[in-house]
């Protein structure tokens, strides 16, 4: 299969001039220490529509014939591709229909409609949504715009790679969040054309990683299930076109845990002041989970920033727990006046912040004259957690596993 050429990516860049933004490159000094050299973040979360998807969607839709444009376009997406297709179609004066899952986040749904698409909700999972969009295409003649498996889409996404080479000319490793493979395939095509020694690393969520078994099998393989907070890269099977690019040009595909994803979102928010969705932060998760594994200078692409505020709140809590910033304790204390005050006073003196307290005398395991106290605390990190536990135990309070 013929891969996208750098000439085609350069043409896409000319086409996208004035449509997309050259997104900024941020230097992550805190990650530098973990990897022994410069680490940069390519902020596609600040791109129009909040992700890189507008690059590929506009390139693909612009290439349609006049007859195809008259029929309109249709797409299926949980959010980012939907917004890219909606905005690209609006800019080009083409009608667009977008199918989204029934439980699509409300901000992404509102944004897609705001960009001018006719949005339909269908299916509990994206595969069902995709099937309905394809059926709509067959019924109406609307052109189906695939989220990653098309040469024009890959060429559009490859423009990110051209910008990386200009912004960090001495880059040695590029980390790319990978779902279907369109972004990593395009970036690899752009970078490898002039810098074949630069290492391109795809990053997938552990519970939604279709590329490792596909690469092992030598062809796209469908995995049984995808279950991850990083819905933007939860793709069950690579496409033929994107798989060809990844198998030929990408040096390695690594996976990251849900814990690392939540820690990465929190780090971007706290240290970089950047709102990044879990899929977009997958590259930072790889930097956190695999310290010293990537030769610097490293560029990690933050591929998107479209995150539901409710989910963001949950992720922040999960990330703080994963980073040792939350501590939940179950104590057994004497049932007498002042015991709870004594516990809370000790916690205060230890510098921990009490978030929640539950006091209960109802438990079959309690001895006469005992009560259970459940504490949720905010701490300064893992060492502080250990210090709090040790001090409470030394004070005579029983810590129940």
């Amino acid at each position: 299969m013929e891969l996208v050429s750098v000439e085609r990516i350069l043409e896409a860049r000319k086409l996208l001039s004035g449509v997309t933004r050259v997104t900024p490159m941020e230097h992550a000094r805190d990650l530098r220490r973990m990897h022994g050299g410069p680490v940069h973040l390519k902020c596609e979360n600040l791109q129009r529509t909040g992700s890189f998807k507008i690059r590929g969607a506009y390139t693909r839709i612009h290439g349609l014939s006049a007859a195809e444009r008259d029929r309109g376009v249709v797409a299926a997406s949980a959010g980012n591709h939907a917004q890219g297709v909606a905005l690209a179609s609006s800019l080009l004066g083409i009608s667009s229909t977008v199918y989204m899952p029934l439980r699509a986040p409300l901000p992404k749904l509102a944004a897609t409609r705001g960009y001018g698409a006719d949005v339909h909700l269908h299916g509990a999972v994206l595969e069902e949504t995709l099937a309905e969009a394809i059926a709509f295409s067959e019924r109406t003649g609307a052109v189906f715009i695939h989220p990653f498996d098309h040469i024009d889409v890959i060429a559009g996404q490859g423009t990110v790679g051209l910008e990386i080479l200009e912004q960090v000319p001495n880059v040695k490793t590029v980390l790319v969040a990978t779902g279907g493979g369109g972004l990593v395939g395009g970036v690899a095509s752009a970078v490898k054309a002039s810098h074949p020694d630069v290492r391109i690393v795809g990053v997938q969520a552990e519970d939604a990683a279709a590329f490792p078994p596909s690469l092992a099998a030598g062809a796209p393989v469908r995995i049984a299930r995808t279950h991850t907070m990083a819905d933007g890269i939860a793709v069950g099977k690579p496409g033929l076109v994107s798989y060809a690019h990844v198998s030929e040009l990408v040096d390695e595909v690594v996976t990251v845990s849900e814990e690392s994803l939540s820690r990465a979102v929190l780090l971007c928010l706290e240290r970089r002041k950047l709102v990044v969705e879990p899929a977009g932060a997958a590259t930072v998760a790889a930097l956190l989970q695999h310290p010293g594994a990537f030769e610097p200078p490293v560029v990690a692409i933050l591929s998107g920033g479209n995150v539901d505020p409710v989910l963001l709140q949950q992720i922040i809590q999960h990330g703080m727990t994963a980073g040792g910033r939350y501590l939940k304790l179950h104590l057994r204390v004497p049932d007498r006046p002042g015991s709870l005050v004594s516990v809370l006073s000790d916690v205060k003196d230890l510098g921990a912040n009490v978030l929640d307290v539950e006091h209960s005398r109802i438990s079959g395991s309690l001895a006469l004259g005992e009560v259970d106290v459940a504490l949720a605390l905010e701490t300064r990190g893992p060492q502080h957690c250990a210090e709090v536990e040790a001090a409470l135990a030394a004070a005579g309070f029983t810590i129940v596993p």
Side-chain angles (χ1 to χ4, degrees), residues 36-235:
V39 175
H40 305 272
L41 306 178
K42 176 63 169 166
C43 299
E44 281 296 292
N45 60 310
L46 302 179
Q47 184 57 263
R48 294 185 71 176
T49 73
S51 88
F52 70 96
K53 288 288 191 176
I54 180 63
R55 297 174 184 261
Y58 190 91
T59 304
R60 170 75 173 103
I61 296 170
H62 187 276
L64 298 178
S65 68
E68 289 172 324
R69 292 187 179 204
D70 288 341
R71 300 201 301 268
V73 300
V74 61
S77 168
N80 288 346
H81 179 59
Q83 293 174 68
V85 168
L87 177 58
S89 300
S90 178
L91 292 172
L92 293 167
I94 300 171
S95 64
S96 63
T97 301
V98 174
Y99 283 84
M100 302 180 74
L102 289 169
R103 297 184 66 182
L106 291 178
K108 293 183 178 182
L109 176 61
T112 304
R113 285 178 171 151
Y115 288 127
D118 181 17
V119 178
H120 300 270
L121 300 179
H122 181 90
V125 295
L126 190 57
E127 283 75 11
E128 296 174 3
T129 312
L130 184 65
E132 187 64 19
I134 293 172
F136 178 88
S137 173
E138 293 171 348
R139 288 195 309 270
T140 65
V143 180
F144 178 67
I145 305 300
H146 201 284
F148 53 83
D149 204 39
H150 192 280
I151 201 76
D152 287 342
V153 172
I154 293 173
Q157 320 303 29
T159 59
V160 178
L162 297 179
E163 292 177 16
I164 288 172
L165 292 178
E166 292 173 354
Q167 292 169 315
V168 187
N170 62 337
V171 61
K172 291 296 184 183
T173 308
V174 179
L175 300 179
V176 190
T178 303
L183 177 60
V184 71
V187 169
S189 296
V191 172
K192 293 284 189 180
S194 59
H195 293 67
D197 58 321
V198 173
R199 189 166 184 80
I200 308 295
V201 180
V203 183
Q204 296 204 289
E206 285 178 359
D207 295 327
F211 267 105
S214 296
L215 292 168
V221 170
R222 181 173 296 282
I223 55 176
R225 64 192 290 267
T226 59
H227 182 69
T228 175
M229 69 176 73
D231 60 337
I233 53 173
V235 177

